[in-house]
Amino acid sequence: METKALAPHVLRALFDLQSEGALVNLQTLTDTLQVRRVDIRRVITALHREGYVDALHMRLTLRGYALGASFAKSELLPLRRASGAASTVAA
């Protein structure tokens, strides 16, 4: 899964969970988003490098919290494409 496609979903999930006061780890995000753990880890690392997530504590930074809040109010693209049967054209 592409980091650019998954990052908004991770920020939104972290925002929602952090707002509820929940403790978050990789497994929590994996279960919430139904995405492979390795993909979540890659996105968290990228967001940490960009200053949006504190990966050590699995918490959003102030910048990440603001971005997560904006994603929480908007409609995100789906994580998965529609099934192949729906997109095939009869010949």
Side-chain angles (χ1 to χ4, degrees):
M1 179 159 289
E2 259 188 65
T3 302
K4 287 182 181 181
L6 184 56
H9 292 276
V10 170
L11 287 169
R12 177 192 266 179
L14 280 170
F15 173 79
D16 291 341
L17 293 166
Q18 189 171 326
S19 296
E20 295 170 1
L23 296 176
V24 182
N25 57 29
L26 284 176
Q27 189 61 47
T28 307
L29 289 173
T30 302
D31 293 342
T32 301
L33 297 173
Q34 297 296 306
V35 178
R36 295 181 311 167
R37 186 180 182 109
V38 67
D39 293 332
I40 297 288
R41 185 185 307 261
R42 184 175 350 104
V43 169
I44 290 293
T45 301
L47 291 171
H48 177 79
R49 285 186 192 136
E50 294 173 16
Y52 295 109
V53 174
D54 176 0
L56 183 62
H57 297 104
M58 289 298 286
R59 308 259 318 160
L60 292 169
T61 63
L62 187 57
R63 289 175 60 197
Y65 195 83
L67 197 54
S70 69
F71 286 137
K73 296 176 182 175
S74 63
E75 175 113 11
L76 298 178
L77 295 174
L79 281 174
R80 290 164 189 80
R81 295 182 190 149
S83 66
S87 62
T88 55
V89 177

